[in-house]
Amino acid sequence: MTSSTIPSSPKETAAPGKTPKDMPGNEKKDPGARSRTIARVAAVQALFQCEQSGQNAETVLREFTHHRRIAPNSHFDEGDIPQADLKLLEEVVHVATREQEENDRLLSSLLPEAWPLERLDPVLRALLRAAIAELRSGRPPQVVINEYMDVAHGFFSGEEPKMVNGILDAARRKLAAS
């Protein structure tokens, strides 16, 4: 996968041994059970697309809702967004793009000097931007962190999920102190 190509599904960069059925949105028994997690995966994909294409949030969201199937029996591995919570998807993308400068300053303050925000993998950057937007939303921080840890495990098989956990926990503490 190149940095300019968004994975159509988390399984493209999933950890070895993870099958599509293990990924959020590919549950065969109850595809609607994780609609908020699915919305978060889609939000990461949308934010990635905004950054890579230069398109605004409205255009990307319109493409997502008009060109991807959002239905109970659809799956990420087919390029669809199975039963995503569309309200959450739109909220995360809008807030993350509207408050991107402020959120990026917070993220930059949490990263080591040797790793500026621009050096991060673009999918990781999109994931962190979505998560920071939600941490600022007033949702329970531990829920947000746990959800984005699940999303990180779907996209990455290396050390990135641990990094996500550390950065989001530090962001939680910094936001609580302000």
Side-chain angles (χ1 to χ4, degrees):
M1 177 178 71
T2 65
S3 64
S4 63
T5 305
I6 186 168
S8 64
S9 70
K11 77 170 191 157
E12 287 185 21
T13 55
K18 275 205 167 200
T19 61
K21 67 179 175 46
D22 298 325
M23 302 309 302
N26 287 331
E27 297 87 351
K28 299 294 183 189
K29 291 182 182 174
D30 186 6
R34 306 265 311 209
S35 66
R36 295 178 69 77
T37 301
I38 294 163
R40 289 176 172 107
V41 170
V44 170
Q45 292 175 326
L47 291 170
F48 175 93
Q49 186 173 329
C50 286
E51 180 180 331
Q52 296 299 306
S53 70
Q55 295 174 312
N56 66 32
E58 279 305 316
T59 300
V60 170
L61 286 169
R62 191 171 34 258
E63 286 178 10
F64 268 58
T65 57
H66 287 98
H67 299 291
R68 292 183 173 207
R69 194 169 47 135
I70 302 170
N73 295 321
S74 62
H75 302 282
F76 275 117
D77 54 343
E78 297 167 359
D80 298 328
I81 307 170
Q83 281 194 321
D85 178 336
L86 291 179
K87 182 179 176 190
L88 178 62
L89 166 62
E90 291 172 355
E91 177 188 334
V92 171
V93 172
H94 283 127
V95 171
T97 55
R98 184 178 59 240
E99 299 174 2
Q100 183 172 322
E101 281 185 36
E102 183 178 353
N103 292 342
D104 282 359
R105 278 193 298 277
L106 173 62
L107 282 170
S108 293
S109 74
L110 301 171
L111 294 171
E113 275 187 48
W115 279 90
L117 189 59
E118 299 78 27
R119 186 174 173 190
L120 294 180
D121 176 274
V123 175
L124 181 59
R125 194 167 43 245
L127 186 149
L128 291 169
R129 284 174 171 158
I132 294 294
E134 278 206 72
L135 283 174
R136 290 182 182 269
S137 74
R139 287 191 182 86
Q142 201 54 48
V143 170
V144 172
I145 293 170
N146 286 339
E147 283 286 308
Y148 281 97
M149 286 292 300
D150 284 350
V151 173
H153 281 288
F155 281 110
F156 301 101
S157 61
E159 296 295 314
E160 292 89 346
K162 290 179 186 177
M163 183 179 180
V164 166
N165 188 44
I167 290 170
L168 294 182
D169 191 52
R172 175 196 57 81
R173 287 191 310 269
K174 196 165 193 174
L175 290 169
S178 61

